[in-house]
Amino acid sequence: VDLAVNHHSPDQRFNLSLTTSFGFDENTLVPGDLTGSVLLPPTMYAPYDANGKLVWRDNGYGSGNPLAELQKRYSAKTKRLTARTLLRYAILPNLQVKTSVGYNSYTLDEETNTPMIAQDPNLNPRGSASFGQSLSESWIVEPTVDYNISNIAKKGVLQVLAGFTLQDARSNNTRISGTGYTNDALLNTIAGAA
């Protein structure tokens, strides 16, 4: 979502410009790569049994099950907010004050899990999960005073600009991983890890 607003007073001495943008995205993906399965022999055992469970070996032969990747999950939710405001006021025709204000925010919440059903049951599988969160924020304020005189002695222009900048930027990243899950239903919480 984007928004842009511009306003000026009837005498043009005051101007306001505001732009903002907000975005939200949610992705749920398969974290693995299935393209390596293209090279498997065409006579490989069926990937699923009659009950719909993954088959890991047949007649003592086993080379894993490429469709196990479809049981793993990765999800990410992102939010982004950007805003900028410019205020200008002309005190005199050749003297104006301006202030530019900006703000940015970005958050990411992500989760990856590998359930036991995505692993060969003959290897005593345990589930694993990873949870991550990132937050980044910044702001800036830049007030200025601008003074202009043109045609000084019909030879030049004098321009004086004074101002300063205040700004801050912060970020926080957290990642927690859990292993040893004995129940796939608990993969959405770190409390289920062993």
Side-chain angles (χ1 to χ4, degrees), residues 72-138:
K72 298 176 182 179
R73 293 287 174 254
Y74 171 80
S75 67
K77 296 177 185 177
T78 59
K79 294 178 189 174
R80 177 194 46 82
L81 173 65
T82 302
R84 181 177 177 268
T85 301
L86 178 62
L87 302 165
R88 183 182 62 83
Y89 183 73
I91 299 170
L92 299 170
N94 57 349
L95 177 65
Q96 65 179 351
V97 292
K98 292 190 275 185
T99 300
S100 178
V101 179
Y103 176 78
N104 292 300
S105 174
Y106 176 81
T107 60
L108 168 65
D109 289 310
E110 61 183 344
E111 179 181 327
T112 304
N113 66 45
T114 302
M116 292 185 305
I117 60 169
Q119 303 170 59
D120 187 342
N122 294 314
L123 302 175
N124 194 23
R126 295 288 181 258
S128 63
S130 178
F131 307 91
Q133 186 176 48
S134 297
L135 170 64
S136 177
E137 288 184 306
S138 64

Side-chain angles (χ1 to χ4, degrees), residues 147-160:
Y147 182 69
N148 290 296
I149 298 178
S150 57
N151 295 326
I152 295 177
K154 297 183 182 182
K155 293 185 179 183
V157 175
L158 172 66
Q159 181 178 17
V160 178

Side-chain angles (χ1 to χ4, degrees), residues 4-7 15-19 84-88 101:
V5 176
N6 292 297
H7 171 74
N15 287 306
L16 164 74
S17 174
L18 168 69
T19 57
R84 181 177 177 268
T85 301
L86 178 62
L87 302 165
R88 183 182 62 83
V101 179

Side-chain angles (χ1 to χ4, degrees), residues 19-33:
T19 57
T20 186
S21 177
F22 176 76
F24 175 78
D25 187 40
E26 185 171 355
N27 287 303
T28 303
L29 305 169
V30 174
D33 182 6

Side-chain angles (χ1 to χ4, degrees), residues 44-49 52-56 64-68:
M44 185 184 153
Y45 48 86
Y48 295 103
D49 67 13
K53 292 186 178 181
L54 293 172
V55 173
W56 294 94
N65 191 320
L67 298 183

Side-chain angles (χ1 to χ4, degrees), residues 33-42 44 65-69:
D33 182 6
L34 298 175
T35 59
S37 305
V38 172
L39 300 177
L40 290 174
M44 185 184 153
N65 191 320
L67 298 183
E69 290 297 320

